[in-house]
Amino acid sequence: MVVVEGLAGLHRSHGCGELTAADAGKEVTLMGWVHRRRDHGGLIFIDLRDRSGLVQVVCDPKSGPAFQKAEEVRNEYVVAVRGLVRRRPEGTVNPKLPTGEIEVVAEEFRLLNRAKTPPFYIDDGIDVDEALRLRYRYLDLRRPEMQRLLYLRYRTTRAIRDFLDARGFWEIETPMLTRSTPEGARDFLVPSRLRPGEFFALPQSPQLFKQILMVAGVERYFQIVRCFRDEDLRADRQPEFTQLDMEMSFVQREDILKLVEELMAYVFRETLGVELALPLPRLTYREAMDRYGSDKPDIRFGMEIVDVSDLVAGCGFKVFAEAVARGGVVRGLCAPGCAGYSRRELDELTRQAAVFGAKGLAWMAVTPEGIRSPIAKFFTAGELEGLVARLAGKPGDLLLFVADTETTAATALGALRLEMGRRLHLYDPEQLAFTWVTEFPLLEYSAEEKRYVAVHHPFTMPMEEDWPLLDSDPLRVRALAYDLVLNGVELGGGSIRIHRRDIQEKMFNLLGFTPEAARDKFGFLLDAFEYGTPPHGGIAFGLDRMLMLMARRDTIRDCIPFPKTQSGTCLMTAAPSGVSPEQLQELHLRSTARKSTNPA
Amino acid sequence: MVVVEGLAGLHRSHGCGELTAADAGKEVTLMGWVHRRRDHGGLIFIDLRDRSGLVQVVCDPKSGPAFQKAEEVRNEYVVAVRGLVRRRPEGTVNPKLPTGEIEVVAEEFRLLNRAKTPPFYIDDGIDVDEALRLRYRYLDLRRPEMQRLLYLRYRTTRAIRDFLDARGFWEIETPMLTRSTPEGARDFLVPSRLRPGEFFALPQSPQLFKQILMVAGVERYFQIVRCFRDEDLRADRQPEFTQLDMEMSFVQREDILKLVEELMAYVFRETLGVELALPLPRLTYREAMDRYGSDKPDIRFGMEIVDVSDLVAGCGFKVFAEAVARGGVVRGLCAPGCAGYSRRELDELTRQAAVFGAKGLAWMAVTPEGIRSPIAKFFTAGELEGLVARLAGKPGDLLLFVADTETTAATALGALRLEMGRRLHLYDPEQLAFTWVTEFPLLEYSAEEKRYVAVHHPFTMPMEEDWPLLDSDPLRVRALAYDLVLNGVELGGGSIRIHRRDIQEKMFNLLGFTPEAARDKFGFLLDAFEYGTPPHGGIAFGLDRMLMLMARRDTIRDCIPFPKTQSGTCLMTAAPSGVSPEQLQELHLRSTARKSTNPA
């Protein structure tokens, strides 16, 4: 058996994937993994793989010991090869491989380590259960497509840092062991050994600390930072996730939006070579809801929602007329080329609308002969013409209507719009369509808590022109809050913060907090606000989700080096796990779990 | 009362500290904090401060509203000023201030926010209790010297990232919610809500993950990463701290040391403008212990420890002769100019040596008339001459000796050497003296566990020339481990890792683990090692400590934006804190603490 050897005397000269025809004639030293081995015509051909790519190594029996060692290797063995680069013989050039014009003739060969047969191929596009990939993450990450994702993630954070450095931002670390936050999602807790009965919390975001840093005069802060939320697990959420967090002083909303647009343009150019057209489009919350039925509209395609309430206000179709009479709306959209939908297809769409609370879905098929619809008889010819014209229906199109409250009509049609857009391939999946959504409502009414609650958070500044409404009609007050949306997914959101004490007091008052309650909930931040707080605002982005969109993957787990499963466990390390009774005792805790569910 | 105003229509044009005589005549818009206000000759002078520095603003009653608003400001009020830059009148130039040649004549003045009187001056060199500074960290960080520390920390991480990026390293994030480690310090635990009775642990370092990344083919990894240790609190330890963590594949020790030296040279040049002379000095562990009595020697000064065992082996002074006869050593050092030390001073040194286990401290004063010492009479004139010559004693010097086991003599004299170096000002405190310490022992014997334990960790590679000793004399085996030391402080350490199965098995065997026990302790890493592990090694640095040395501060707390106290609490947020019984119930835990010690 060939002995495993060390590196002594060998120094890697090149990455496998770096060699080109220009290197022909050079002596090189390569180190990497055996990707494939083929024996052919008495020679051994090894595709040698490292981080930089693949190259073909040829071992000839004339090389003696090198050939003997090569005879023993199998896939994923780790080897070092010293040899000469030569152009491949006529007819054996591989145009699919960047190094396909050359090969390396081995003169010295060392077996650096053996490998068991991996549980799946170390290659792209494998069809393997995700659980197996996660368990053997070290092999999964060895696959070229996963290496590209690791590298894209690194290049993205690097580009973010380069851009923000040039703009005078300082990256500043905030604590991971901090205080349980009074509002928001559920905290992960960390028991304190030194202070019995007390706990740290892992941060859900550095929100309070970044505002503190503005009070501290840092002026331009950012951080690429781990955050934690102990949420009930939904598709594609992770208990720990990474956030790009930013905050600036002495700025207005426009300054932040402009800077973020330039940041995105820089990052997408540097990492994907994609040029974004600036400024990015903007929609107010109102427009986004009216036209797209969503506060995170996918604007890669049109098929916008259209209000027809005025056209049907007094019509003969009672469902429509009464919805309008009750203060609701009738809205529709035009699905191009769908006039031939079957009863079953229409029923399916109706079910989908019902998921979002719509009590029904009306349809009209536009045909060369006119409207075909079970409800056509309730409308005058002029009304039908008006509807078709408003929705820009052409023969062959299908018009879909929802008559309901404004919110239900918007969200149900918004969901139908997305479904139809997908079905009808109305957009290029490669396209990147950013949009800002601005002017979110400041408050919403919580029926559960019987009070107003902040849509963003209690430190978000209301728009100055709406200040008078704070007293008269709080739900109509718009906030200086903004989300950045890409292809229908929220990438991030932020706001200008309140820095004036009078407005903050008004806000707490609206939220139903006494000054004492406010102090109890947000004590140290309110203290800090008393000592000269500059006007400031910021934004935060979910890095994992952004990468998923950039890499066009279906799950954020592919974009996180070591993700948790959907049930919040790590299959590679088998975390979480049981701990010893002594460890719990030191933490002044007793477990009330019936039994450990530790799979170990 | 002057109304607090918004920023509408104003855009900051310059930082306060950026203005120079070249800007005279320009209209500028500045925003910042009132550092000082002086009323003089009917005018108001405001030193306006922002992150970039200070500038003098002059308000003239002729400016009308601007003057009226300026009349109201006090220290730390936040203001915006639009005005004209002009050269200061003859005789009022302030050469101490970078902007001291000019001032800004206010034309428009806005009060952006008020401030209460801070509990301490927002200025450098204040003499304030650290607890007060930590409680009001947002004000403490506003002080220029703390802003410089925040900036130095940022520039340092930036320089590290720039250098490593250029060398092909990828920054990769490893999990914070991971598995409790079987060896090392105490873990912080995070209870799992979804898996009753199970816990995540916060990482003490990403050691296992970075080795996994090498198995995954990443080849060059780094991370600036938060780590956690629930240690009993010692001076200047923090429960959470930041580490620069690195690992490389296909490298030998020399490759790593060279790269790290170039990294340090780059970082110190970019941040401090200091040029390091490369290569850095190296000492083996043996040399460091023999010459400096420490494995983290401060080589800013000489005064090395000298072995005199051979000179005193048969001498008339029994303490010395017997120590040598028992297999111990006699070592000494020469304290220049201390021949006149009083009885009291000598007693004090003896007490200090005793702290490190030395049973006594012998001394000889070198005078122009010869040796003065209570033990001189036990030596021949030739022996005395020999000792003075070996220690290079000159008239006026004091020779100090310890006769003991090798380890005790080394560490006691090492401590005395540091003490005398400090007292005698033998070094320039501004000097930066790096040294590598290499060839650490692989193993040490644990009397407590009655077995060998790894000095570094069980994955550290023994030096190849010592492999034969693994069987015959394990304690003499040296490891491919190395520490980087600066001014007597360990900045970081690392090793070449074992990647060969036969050596790993031998190592576990030496550590007294059965294969089953090894698997139980290091299961997933050992699994990973079976699938083609490349030769690899790495190093990790304590960033907080490195910054403390770079900034010449006395505590790492000054170099961490939001540190914990020495008792592990955050005075600003009052963390840790009590949590609700419902929170504990959800985590399947009950507290056994008698009472909460929550100070709130």
Side-chain angles (χ1 to χ4, degrees), chain A residues 113 154 165 173 198 499 598, chain B residues 113 153-154 198 499 598:
Chain A
N113 220 342
Y154 171 53
D165 183 69
E173 294 175 75
E198 298 191 3
H499 69 285
N598 195 343
Chain B
N113 220 343
R153 188 178 176 105
Y154 171 53
E198 298 191 4
H499 70 285
N598 194 343

Side-chain angles (χ1 to χ4, degrees), chain B residues 170-292:
Chain B
W170 297 358
E171 188 163 18
I172 295 181
E173 294 176 73
T174 53
M176 293 279 124
L177 295 174
T178 181
R179 193 183 162 88
S180 187
T181 44
E183 303 224 319
R186 200 184 283 108
D187 286 316
F188 278 105
L189 297 181
V190 183
S192 165
R193 180 174 56 86
L194 296 170
R195 295 176 72 93
E198 298 191 4
F199 293 78
F200 294 101
L202 300 177
Q204 296 184 30
S205 90
Q207 181 65 35
L208 300 186
F209 284 99
K210 73 175 171 175
Q211 293 196 245
I212 285 284
L213 284 169
M214 295 303 106
V215 180
V218 166
E219 300 187 14
R220 295 193 153 207
Y221 145 91
F222 83 103
Q223 195 180 186
I224 296 177
V225 60
R226 206 70 56 81
C227 301
F228 305 85
R229 282 181 203 176
D230 188 9
E231 290 178 298
D232 289 312
L233 295 153
R234 276 185 275 170
D236 245 21
R237 293 274 184 140
Q238 289 277 314
E240 56 178 310
F241 56 96
T242 302
Q243 193 166 290
L244 164 60
D245 194 45
M246 297 166 57
E247 196 80 4
M248 302 165 73
S249 290
F250 302 114
V251 291
Q252 299 171 66
R253 184 183 67 183
E254 287 309 308
D255 301 310
I256 296 178
L257 299 194
K258 182 158 182 291
L259 182 119
V260 167
E261 292 188 355
E262 288 165 3
L263 166 66
M264 286 295 152
Y266 182 83
V267 169
F268 278 72
R269 184 187 311 128
E270 292 294 310
T271 58
L272 301 177
V274 170
E275 289 296 330
L276 304 186
L278 299 191
L280 299 177
R282 289 192 198 182
L283 293 164
T284 64
Y285 172 83
R286 186 75 272 145
E287 289 168 334
M289 291 305 293
D290 285 352
R291 293 166 51 190
Y292 301 98

Side-chain angles (χ1 to χ4, degrees), chain B residues 66-234:
Chain B
F67 185 82
Q68 285 154 27
K69 293 181 193 171
E71 273 194 300
E72 194 173 322
V73 303
R74 297 163 54 189
N75 282 1
E76 300 310 316
Y77 275 39
V78 188
V79 303
V81 175
R82 193 175 51 73
L84 271 180
V85 182
R86 74 172 179 206
R87 285 175 174 279
R88 292 201 193 182
E90 202 70 37
T92 64
V93 166
N94 179 351
K96 281 192 229 152
L97 203 64
T99 63
E101 287 185 71
I102 54 97
E103 59 193 8
V104 175
V105 185
E107 294 177 354
E108 186 181 349
F109 196 99
R110 286 195 205 170
L111 175 55
L112 302 178
N113 220 343
R114 290 192 164 72
K116 293 205 293 195
T117 303
F120 46 80
Y121 278 110
I122 308 302
D123 224 333
D124 288 351
I126 54 171
D127 181 21
V128 174
D129 182 38
E130 197 195 9
L132 195 68
R133 287 175 50 208
L134 290 176
R135 162 134 198 239
Y136 294 95
R137 188 64 163 177
Y138 40 87
L139 297 176
D140 190 34
L141 291 178
R142 214 186 267 171
R143 299 188 304 114
E145 61 177 325
M146 295 305 284
Q147 296 249 319
R148 283 192 297 273
L149 287 174
L150 284 177
Y151 186 63
L152 176 66
R153 188 178 176 105
Y154 171 53
R155 288 319 313 167
T156 300
T157 57
R158 176 78 192 159
I160 290 169
R161 288 189 163 106
D162 286 346
F163 177 88
L164 293 176
D165 182 68
R167 300 302 182 97
F169 284 78
W170 297 358
E171 188 163 18
I172 295 181
E173 294 176 73
T174 53
M176 293 279 124
L177 295 174
T178 181
R179 193 183 162 88
S180 187
T181 44
E183 303 224 319
R186 200 184 283 108
D187 286 316
F188 278 105
L189 297 181
V190 183
S192 165
R193 180 174 56 86
L194 296 170
R195 295 176 72 93
E198 298 191 4
F199 293 78
F200 294 101
L202 300 177
Q204 296 184 30
S205 90
Q207 181 65 35
L208 300 186
F209 284 99
K210 73 175 171 175
Q211 293 196 245
I212 285 284
L213 284 169
M214 295 303 106
V215 180
V218 166
E219 300 187 14
R220 295 193 153 207
Y221 145 91
F222 83 103
Q223 195 180 186
I224 296 177
V225 60
R226 206 70 56 81
C227 301
F228 305 85
R229 282 181 203 176
D230 188 9
E231 290 178 298
D232 289 312
L233 295 153
R234 276 185 275 170

Side-chain angles (χ1 to χ4, degrees), chain A residues 33 52 108 126 138 145 187 192 197 225 227 244 255 279 334 346 407 414 439 442 445 447 460 489 497 560:
Chain A
W33 287 261
S52 65
E108 186 182 349
I126 53 170
Y138 38 87
E145 63 177 324
D187 285 317
S192 166
V225 62
C227 300
L244 164 61
D255 301 310
C334 172
L346 290 163
T407 306
E439 301 185 16
L442 183 70
Y445 188 76
T460 297
V489 176
R497 327 298 181 185
I560 296 173

Side-chain angles (χ1 to χ4, degrees), chain A residues 181-241:
Chain A
T181 45
E183 304 223 320
R186 198 184 285 109
D187 285 317
F188 278 105
L189 297 182
V190 183
S192 166
R193 181 174 56 86
L194 297 170
R195 296 177 73 93
E198 298 191 3
F199 294 78
F200 294 101
L202 300 177
Q204 295 184 29
S205 90
Q207 181 66 34
L208 300 185
F209 284 98
K210 73 174 173 176
Q211 293 195 245
I212 284 284
L213 284 170
M214 294 304 105
V215 180
V218 166
E219 300 187 15
R220 295 192 155 207
Y221 144 91
F222 83 104
Q223 195 181 185
I224 296 177
V225 62
R226 207 69 56 83
C227 300
F228 304 84
R229 282 181 202 175
D230 188 10
E231 290 179 298
D232 289 311
L233 295 152
R234 276 186 275 168
D236 245 20
R237 292 274 183 137
Q238 288 277 315
E240 56 178 311
F241 55 97

Side-chain angles (χ1 to χ4, degrees), chain B residues 385-415:
Chain B
E385 242 170 67
L387 288 171
V388 172
R390 177 73 61 86
L391 288 166
K394 293 179 304 294
D397 293 350
L398 178 69
L399 312 183
L400 298 167
F401 298 94
V402 173
D404 217 307
T405 63
E406 190 172 342
T407 306
T408 301
T411 51
L413 283 166

